[in-house]
Amino acid sequence: MDRFQIGTVTVHRIEEWQGTFAPPSYLFQGYTPEGWDPHAEEFAPEYFDPATGHLYAFLQSWVLDTGKQRILFDTGAGNDKDRPNIPVFSNLQTDFLGNLARAGFQPEDIDVVVCSHIHIDHVGWNTRLVEGRWEPTFRNARYVLPLADRAYWDPDDAAAGPDGVGAAVNAGMYEDSVAPIVAAGRAEWAEEGFAVAEGITLLSCPGHTPGSMMLEVAGKDDNALFVGDVVHHPAQIYRPEWNSVFCEAPDQARETRRRVLDLAADRKALLVPAHFGGSHMARVLREGTGFRPVLGALGLS
Ligand SMILES: [Zn+2]
C-alpha cells in the first residue's frame, strides 16, 4: 500500500530501506519461544524471514498531503550518517529522495516535517551532507520535534539521560540530525495536543523515548494513528508486554503500547507503525483480554 486516503488527506508511503534486521529474541525484551512460535508462520515472509531466522523490517516515511500542506512524518536513517554501533544503518546510500520524487514531491515541497521521536531511524533525512556540512534537507519546512526528547538527547543539556544501548546506537545523532535544524532556526518543540494541521494532532506516547508522540489523523468516517515505534512488529499486538531493545523506559513503554492498542481497537483506527512490512499498517481487534492484528484486506479507500 503506497497511497491511501483518510478523509480529505492523501497519504503517500515513502520507502527508504527494507531487509532482514535481527532475530526476534534480540529485538523483543521479554521474548519467549512460547510467545513467538505460534505466530511465526503467520509473519513469514513479510515480517519474518524463516531462512535467516531474522525479522524483516522497513524504514519508511509518510507524506500527508492535506491539499494545503505537505507533512512529512518521520525521516528515516538518512544517507552518509556514521553509526558505528548499528552497522545496518551506518553510511546508508539509499534513493529515498528519488522515492519521494516518484511520489510527486521535491524536498522543497515539504511544508512541515514531524519526527515521532528522536532516534537515529526517525530523524536521519532531517539533514543531508552538503560540501561537508549537515544542512536541512527540507529547506522550506518547519520541523516539529517532541520537546521531552530534546532534554533527553541534547548532549549540552545537563538532564540528558540515555545510557546503555540507546546511548551507543544513537551516538552522534543529535549533532548531525537535530542540532543543525535548531541552528537553522527551523525547530518547533511539540507537547501533547500539538496541532500540526486541521484534524492532524500529535499525542504523547512516552516510553520508547521520553518524548515519543503519535500523529492522529481524524477523517470523517475513518481515522489513522501514525504510532512511530510504539509498535515495531505485529508480534507486539499479540504481546503488548514485549518491548523492543530500543525502548528507553521499559515500564512506561509497555503501558503506552497497551493504551494505544486499546485506542486503536476502540476507534477501529488504522494503526500505521514506522517499520511494518506487508501492507505496512494494521487494524487491531480485541481477542480475550488482549488483541490481534489484521494485516491485510484493510478496507482502505
Ligand atoms: Zn524506529
Side-chain angles (χ1 to χ4, degrees):
M1 180 68 67
D2 287 333
R3 196 170 70 174
F4 62 98
Q5 198 79 23
I6 294 288
T8 57
V9 179
T10 307
V11 182
H12 303 256
R13 187 180 74 90
I14 315 295
E15 189 167 312
E16 183 185 29
W17 176 93
Q18 57 171 292
T20 51
F21 180 68
S25 56
Y26 169 80
L27 183 68
F28 301 125
Q29 298 273 289
Y31 167 90
T32 59
E34 297 74 36
W36 171 263
D37 290 349
H39 305 294
E41 202 172 312
E42 171 191 348
F43 295 145
E46 294 171 317
Y47 297 89
F48 175 64
D49 175 33
T52 57
H54 284 206
L55 300 170
Y56 199 84
F58 282 71
L59 299 183
Q60 56 209 346
S61 302
W62 307 89
V63 173
L64 285 70
D65 189 346
T66 68
K68 292 182 189 154
Q69 290 193 86
R70 282 114 176 205
I71 301 155
L72 177 66
F73 187 67
D74 278 342
T75 64
N79 277 0
D80 302 303
K81 304 223 152 151
D82 190 23
R83 303 289 181 239
N85 299 314
I86 185 159
V88 66
F89 299 139
S90 190
N91 287 297
L92 288 181
Q93 300 296 328
T94 73
D95 192 26
F96 177 77
L97 294 181
N99 290 343
L100 185 70
R102 282 182 278 282
F105 306 102
Q106 297 300 318
E108 51 271 26
D109 297 334
I110 301 299
D111 301 295
V112 190
V113 172
V114 180
C115 298
S116 63
H117 63 290
I118 298 183
H119 262 169
I120 53 149
D121 55 323
H122 296 260
V123 299
W125 277 103
N126 282 4
T127 57
R128 61 178 157 179
L129 202 53
V130 179
E131 294 170 1
R133 289 167 47 92
W134 295 109
E135 305 273 356
T137 305
F138 308 98
R139 60 192 163 127
N140 294 324
R142 56 199 182 95
Y143 286 67
V144 177
L145 300 136
L147 178 65
D149 274 359
R150 180 182 194 172
Y152 192 72
W153 290 109
D154 183 348
D156 292 335
D157 194 307
D163 57 13
V165 174
V169 162
N170 295 288
M173 164 194 68
Y174 196 90
E175 293 84 342
D176 62 38
S177 300
V178 180
I181 302 303
V182 178
R186 299 233 155 238
E188 285 182 29
W189 298 98
E191 293 181 274
E192 168 73 15
F194 184 97
V196 178
E198 197 184 331
I200 302 181
T201 309
L202 280 167
L203 302 175
S204 183
C205 292
H208 181 65
T209 64
S212 284
M213 304 191 96
M214 65 176 171
L215 192 68
E216 178 190 46
V217 181
K220 191 162 156 284
D221 303 313
D222 206 354
N223 60 92
L225 300 171
F226 291 78
V227 298
D229 284 357
V230 171
V231 179
H232 272 86
H233 189 279
Q236 293 170 294
I237 299 177
Y238 288 115
R239 305 281 169 193
E241 69 276 19
W242 286 3
N243 279 331
S244 86
V245 65
F246 306 116
C247 291
E248 306 283 339
D251 290 342
Q252 196 179 33
R254 277 187 282 270
E255 193 181 306
T256 289
R257 189 172 307 105
R258 194 166 270 283
R259 177 172 62 81
V260 169
L261 292 173
D262 262 327
L263 187 69
D266 284 348
R267 291 202 192 153
K268 300 179 170 55
L270 202 56
L271 191 81
V272 191
H275 301 302
F276 268 33
S279 57
H280 307 285
M281 55 196 77
R283 292 198 192 267
V284 179
L285 300 183
R286 292 189 185 282
E287 188 167 78
T289 57
F291 308 98
R292 76 178 166 88
V294 178
L295 298 170
L298 295 167
L300 295 168
S301 53

